[in-house]
Amino acid sequence: MTRYGPMFGPDVTFLGVPPCTIEEPATYADADVVIVGAPFDGGTSHRPGTRFGPSAIRQACYLPHDGSRPSLALRVDGLQDLRVYDAGDVEMFSGDIERSLAALEAAVFDVARVGAIPIVLGGDHSIALPDATGVARHHGLGRVSLVHFDAHADTGDIEFGSLHGHGQPMRRLIESGAVRGDRFLQIGLRGYWPGPSTLAWMAEQRMRSYEMTEVVARGLDSCLSEAFEIATDECEGVFLSVDVDVVDPGMAPGTGTPEPGGFTSRQLLDAVRRVCYELPVVGVDVVEVAPPYDHADITAYLGNRVVLEALSAIARRRRDAAGGEPWNPHQPLLDAR
C-alpha cells in the first residue's frame, strides 16, 4: 500500500526520521517509537486551526532535519538511540468526528501491539480518547494511568449536542473503562471552566487535579512526585497527554483556547522530562498547536521540543536500565568529555 503521508503540507517526517506505513507493519516492526499525525480540529469549541499542528511540529526546528538530535542535558540522542519512525498522518475528516477518531484509534493500536510507543501529534484534544484507548487496548483496559498537562479538565459531558469534542475526551476515557478515574492525574488546570456539576463528577471518579494555585503553593516538583506515586500504583504503563495551553499564552500563543497564568516553557519541558525518565511511558500525545495564531512559530517550536524531550528522556531511561552510568542532572556539561 502506498504511504498516505500528510493531509496538509509537504510529506516530511519528524526531523528527518525514516518513514513507515501504518498498514504495513513490516515497515516499523523494529520500532521503539512511531510518530503518528492526527490533523483534526473538528472537536474545537472556539478557534480551529489545529489540523495544521502535525505539519508544524514536524518542521519546527532551525537545525538540519537529519534524524539526529543529541540532548545536551541528558547526553543521549533520542532520534538515534531509539528506533524512531514517522507514519505520516491518519486520514481524519473534520466533518465526521466519529469516523476520524475510530481511524486514529486503529492506527495507535497497530503501533502499540508491535511493542512500539506511539507519539501522536495533534490536532485538538478530542484525539486523546482514541490515543489512550488504542494504547489501553494493547496493555489492558484500566491498566494504563494518564498524566495530563492542560489548562482545562476536558471532562465535559455533552457539548454542542455531541459526546465528542476537545472538552470531553477525559470523561469518555473514564466512562469507557479505558482509564481509571483514580489513576487520572491532571496538572496545570486554571481559569473559569468547568463548573460545579462537572467538578463534582470528577470528584466522584476520584480524579486528582492539580490547579495552578496548588502547583504554585506547593511547587511543581512536589506535585509531580505525588502524582507519579499514584500513576504507578496498579498500572503497567503511563500515557502522557500534553495540551500546549498548559503553558501561559505569552509563551504559547498558537492555541485555540488560551488561558493566562500557566506554566513557563521551561516548566513544561522539565515536567515532560521527568515523566518520561521516571515513569514507564507507553504512549504520548501533544495537542492543540494551532499555527494560524502562532506568532513566529513559538508554539510549534515548543511542541517540537516537547516531543524531543520525551524521546530523549525515554532513551536515557533505557540506557540507565541497561546498566549504564546513571544520569546525573548536577554533572557539568563538559565533565568527562
Side-chain angles (χ1 to χ4, degrees):
M1 180 178 292
T2 302
R3 170 182 161 85
Y4 181 75
M7 284 191 70
F8 307 102
D11 187 5
V12 296
T13 63
F14 182 80
L15 300 182
V17 302
C20 69
T21 302
I22 288 290
E23 293 81 5
E24 298 178 9
T27 65
Y28 55 96
D30 63 339
D32 295 309
V33 174
V34 175
I35 308 289
V36 179
F40 184 77
D41 57 15
T44 53
S45 60
H46 189 42
R47 304 188 303 195
T50 55
R51 68 181 67 186
F52 305 113
S55 180
I57 293 170
R58 285 185 173 106
Q59 298 181 69
C61 188
Y62 54 84
L63 296 168
H65 288 211
D66 57 1
S68 175
R69 283 298 181 275
S71 167
L72 293 178
L74 290 160
R75 299 171 182 249
V76 292
D77 187 329
L79 300 184
Q80 290 287 311
D81 296 347
L82 301 172
R83 292 180 295 273
V84 183
Y85 295 86
D86 190 329
D89 291 346
V90 174
E91 186 178 27
M92 302 184 75
F93 172 52
S94 289
D96 190 339
I97 192 168
E98 292 187 358
R99 186 186 77 178
S100 294
L101 298 186
L104 180 57
E105 181 182 325
V108 171
F109 175 68
D110 284 344
V111 170
R113 68 178 174 178
V114 303
I117 298 173
I119 296 184
V120 185
L121 312 180
D124 70 50
H125 219 158
S126 60
I127 70 167
L129 172 59
D131 293 344
T133 300
V135 169
R137 281 174 53 196
H138 172 68
H139 292 278
L141 299 181
R143 306 302 295 176
V144 174
S145 62
L146 203 145
V147 175
H148 170 209
F149 292 97
D150 203 328
H152 309 97
D154 292 352
T155 48
D157 190 5
I158 299 175
E159 305 288 341
F160 304 106
S162 176
L163 290 169
H164 299 293
H166 73 166
Q168 300 136 277
M170 307 317 173
R171 182 183 287 245
R172 300 286 94 88
L173 279 169
I174 293 171
E175 289 177 337
S176 71
V179 179
R180 289 168 48 174
D182 61 353
R183 296 298 180 271
F184 216 112
L185 297 312
Q186 303 184 304
I187 305 165
L189 305 188
R190 60 190 186 275
Y192 302 89
W193 186 90
S197 62
T198 300
L199 293 174
W201 180 88
M202 293 165 61
E204 290 172 2
Q205 313 311 310
R206 299 172 60 198
M207 298 177 71
R208 183 63 170 95
S209 301
Y210 296 84
E211 194 267 340
M212 279 301 296
T213 303
E214 180 183 358
V215 172
V216 171
R218 295 181 53 192
L220 178 58
D221 279 340
S222 175
C223 293
L224 288 175
S225 296
E226 180 179 280
F228 290 2
E229 291 184 11
I230 300 170
T232 52
D233 182 22
E234 300 180 353
C235 285
E236 276 70 49
V238 175
F239 188 93
L240 170 63
S241 188
V242 178
D243 186 329
V244 294
D245 73 20
V246 75
V247 172
D248 191 275
M251 294 186 178
T255 193
T257 50
E259 183 63 55
F263 281 16
T264 65
S265 298
R266 180 71 264 160
Q267 285 177 308
L268 177 59
L269 294 174
D270 286 346
V272 168
R273 179 190 297 172
R274 279 199 63 187
V275 171
C276 293
Y277 179 68
E278 298 181 29
L279 300 180
V281 170
V282 293
V284 179
D285 63 26
V286 181
V287 303
E288 299 288 352
V289 172
Y293 320 108
D294 197 16
H295 173 69
D297 301 328
I298 294 170
T299 317
Y301 271 90
L302 176 60
N304 179 282
R305 284 337 194 224
V306 167
V307 175
L308 277 178
E309 204 66 45
L311 289 169
S312 299
I314 291 168
R316 185 74 226 195
R317 175 182 172 88
R318 293 189 179 188
R319 176 180 292 186
D320 289 5
E325 184 71 23
W327 177 56
N328 176 12
H330 300 285
Q331 186 178 20
L333 173 63
L334 302 180
D335 189 33
R337 291 182 184 270

